[in-house]
């Protein structure tokens, strides 16, 4: 099998994992007895396996032989086995468990995306559209089954966390964007209309609104073609806001403002927290408002929360890393966007800023890897010759 065939096939592997394999694996895990309790280990195991496979070309080097590659794989496999046999039990025995490990998730997955693209090249824009379209169709199929066969709530999602699915779909949708002077990928409109229904089926109001203004400001075609898509996204956003929600989704929306206030109150009260972040193993300040306290007790929540319970990405990142964390994360992804400006890169970067206001964003491996690959793919294409008027 030629290297010319393998390169594009391997380049798209993370997208296939994020948009097809992982959602189907999570749905299958939820369907078997005892599966829901193990669902949380499926995604980390899948990305760890992909990282292991991606490390082989790096270990081999440019002039290494097949024997050296086999030896490197054996060493890496033994190191992985030792990690699971000895390091994992030792970490589980620590009480309380290290609170800093989950906070390394965003840089770890962005690094994985960069290393993968360095080894195999970034995926094509068409690959984003195809994988996003398949994920959108899977979510629409699940919603149809929930409503017609399984008699479950519409928001029930076995394919993964709805906000994470919505973020992945928005970044895949950005591959259809093209400014004046850019050539859109083939059949971009067809896959766009497979992604939008899936996005609507996630019931994520912010993701729908973000997709709408991305299409309005960065979308392909003339304004008279982009404006109806923006209006459609606004209508879907309104529908997502007024539809009846399950308890988990309602709780997430009610706690958004509370989480933001608790984080910034703690930052203001802790000396040096704006530079170094908050202590990760301590709860955020108590919210003893009588009305909110009674509501939290009614739904089984306490007035205090830990940093790991903060749903929105930007306040959690600021609380764990201080201001250097978000500033660094805003600066590094902007490098490929500014180096070769495209509508795809500008849309993905702007969507990242918006979606982090209410969603976990890069604390999900699928979202972080898809965003990283999207920015690298956008910077590897032809630059935008002129701005849209």
């Amino acid at each position: 099998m030629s290297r010319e065939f393998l390169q594009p096939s391997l380049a798209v592997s993370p997208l296939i994992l994020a948009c097809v394999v992982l959602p189907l694996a999570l749905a299958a895990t939820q369907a078997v007895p005892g599966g829901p309790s193990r669902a949380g280990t499926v995604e980390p195991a899948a990305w760890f396996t992909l990282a292991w496979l991606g490390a082989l070309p790096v270990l081999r080097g440019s002039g290494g032989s097949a024997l050296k590659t086999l030896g490197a794989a054996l060493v890496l496999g033994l190191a992985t086995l030792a990690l699971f046999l000895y390091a994992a039990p030792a970490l589980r025995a620590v009480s309380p468990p290290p609170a800093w490990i989950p906070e390394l998730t965003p840089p770890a997955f962005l690094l994985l995306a960069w290393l993968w693209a360095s080894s195999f090249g970034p995926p094509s824009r068409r690959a984003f559209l195809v994988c996003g379209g398949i994920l959108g169709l899977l979510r629409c199929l699940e919603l149809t089954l929930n409503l017609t066969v399984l008699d479950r709530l519409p928001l029930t999602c076995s394919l993964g966390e709805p906000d994470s699915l919505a973020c992945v779909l928005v970044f895949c949708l950005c591959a259809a964007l093209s400014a004046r002077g850019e050539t859109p990928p083939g059949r971009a409109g067809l896959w766009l209309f497979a992604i939008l229904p899936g996005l609507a089926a996630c019931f994520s109001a912010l993701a729908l609104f973000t997709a709408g203004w991305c299409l309005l400001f960065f979308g392909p075609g003339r304004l008279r073609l982009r404006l109806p898509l923006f209006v459609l996204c606004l209508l879907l956003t309104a529908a997502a806001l007024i539809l009846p929600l399950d308890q988990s989704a309602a709780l997430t929306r009610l706690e958004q403002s509370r989480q933001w206030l608790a984080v910034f109150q703690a930052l203001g009260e802790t000396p040096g927290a704006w530079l170094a972040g908050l202590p990760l193993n301590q709860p955020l300040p108590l919210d003893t408002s009588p009305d909110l306290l009674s509501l939290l007790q009614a739904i089984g929540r306490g007035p205090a929360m830990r940093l790991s319970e903060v749903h929105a990405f930007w306040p959690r990142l600021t609380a764990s890393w201080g201001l250097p964390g978000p500033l660094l994360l805003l600066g590094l992804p902007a490098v490929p966007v500014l180096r070769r400006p495209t509508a795809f890169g500008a849309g993905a970067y702007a969507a990242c800023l918006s979606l982090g206001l209410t969603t976990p964003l890069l604390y999900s491996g699928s979202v972080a890897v898809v965003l990283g690959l999207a920015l690298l793919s956008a910077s590897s294409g032809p630059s935008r010759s002129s701005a849209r008027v």
Side-chain angles (χ1 to χ4, degrees):
M1 190 174 294
S2 67
R3 183 180 179 87
E4 289 76 12
F5 177 79
L6 275 176
Q7 284 292 103
S9 301
L10 291 172
V12 78
S13 298
L15 290 182
I16 297 175
L17 179 61
C19 298
V20 183
V21 177
L22 262 177
L24 291 176
L26 288 171
T29 304
Q30 295 283 348
V32 300
S37 61
R38 299 191 298 269
T41 63
V42 172
E43 184 176 10
W47 288 116
F48 189 91
T49 303
L50 188 75
W52 191 91
L53 295 174
L56 292 179
V58 178
L59 290 175
R60 177 177 179 177
S62 57
S65 64
L67 186 61
K68 289 182 179 180
T69 304
L70 183 61
L74 181 61
V75 171
L76 187 61
L78 291 175
T80 304
L81 185 63
L83 181 68
F84 279 98
L85 289 179
Y86 299 105
L91 287 176
R92 285 196 296 268
V94 177
S95 182
W100 51 267
I101 293 180
E103 305 311 315
L104 296 178
T105 302
F109 281 115
L110 289 176
L111 180 63
L112 170 60
W114 178 76
L115 289 175
W116 191 272
S118 299
S119 299
F120 307 109
S124 65
R125 289 172 61 184
R126 180 174 172 80
F128 283 92
L129 290 172
V130 172
C131 291
I134 293 174
L135 178 59
L137 293 175
L138 288 175
R139 176 55 187 151
C140 289
L141 178 60
E142 183 185 35
L143 178 62
T144 303
L145 290 175
N146 286 345
L147 293 174
T148 59
V149 178
L150 302 178
D151 194 25
R152 296 192 303 189
L153 289 170
L155 288 182
T156 303
C157 188
S158 301
L159 299 175
E161 208 268 333
D163 277 341
S164 297
L165 291 179
C167 290
V168 170
L169 287 170
V170 169
F171 294 136
C172 289
L173 175 144
C174 288
L177 307 179
S178 60
R180 187 177 302 167
E182 294 180 9
T183 303
R187 297 183 180 179
L190 176 64
W191 290 112
L192 184 63
F193 283 101
I195 293 173
L196 279 175
L199 193 57
C202 291
F203 299 98
S204 176
L206 182 62
L208 286 164
F209 181 71
T210 300
W213 61 254
C214 279
L215 289 169
L216 179 65
F217 291 106
F218 305 110
R222 297 183 178 275
L223 180 61
R224 65 171 179 268
L225 299 176
R226 306 194 310 270
L227 195 56
L229 288 176
F230 176 66
V231 173
L232 174 62
C233 289
L234 285 184
L235 294 175
L236 292 173
T237 301
L241 289 172
I242 64 177
L243 282 175
L245 304 172
D246 62 2
Q247 178 176 318
S248 174
L251 175 61
T252 300
R253 289 189 183 176
L254 287 171
E255 284 203 316
Q256 290 294 333
S257 58
R258 174 181 176 239
Q259 290 176 357
W260 277 82
L261 290 173
V263 165
F264 287 104
Q265 179 182 347
L267 288 171
E269 294 177 353
T270 306
W274 287 105
L275 291 178
L278 295 170
L280 301 179
N281 56 351
Q282 295 182 8
L284 296 174
L286 291 173
D287 191 334
T288 56
S289 169
D291 294 336
L292 184 58
L293 189 59
S294 61
L295 174 63
L296 292 171
Q297 290 173 343
I299 55 182
R301 284 292 185 95
M305 73 175 81
R306 294 193 174 272
L307 192 58
S308 59
E309 299 173 7
V310 176
H311 191 74
F313 174 74
W314 292 117
R316 178 174 175 179
L317 185 72
T318 306
S320 57
W321 293 83
L323 280 178
L327 291 177
L328 187 64
L329 196 59
L330 289 172
L332 288 180
V335 173
V337 176
L338 296 175
R339 182 170 64 91
R340 184 167 293 183
T342 61
F344 181 15
Y349 183 79
C352 171
L353 304 183
S354 172
L355 293 171
L357 297 175
T358 62
T359 71
L361 201 61
L362 303 187
Y363 284 97
S364 164
S366 296
V367 179
V369 172
V370 171
L371 172 62
L373 291 175
L375 294 174
L376 293 170
S377 176
S379 68
S380 67
S383 61
R384 189 168 87 179
S385 60
S386 60
R388 182 182 298 278
V389 178

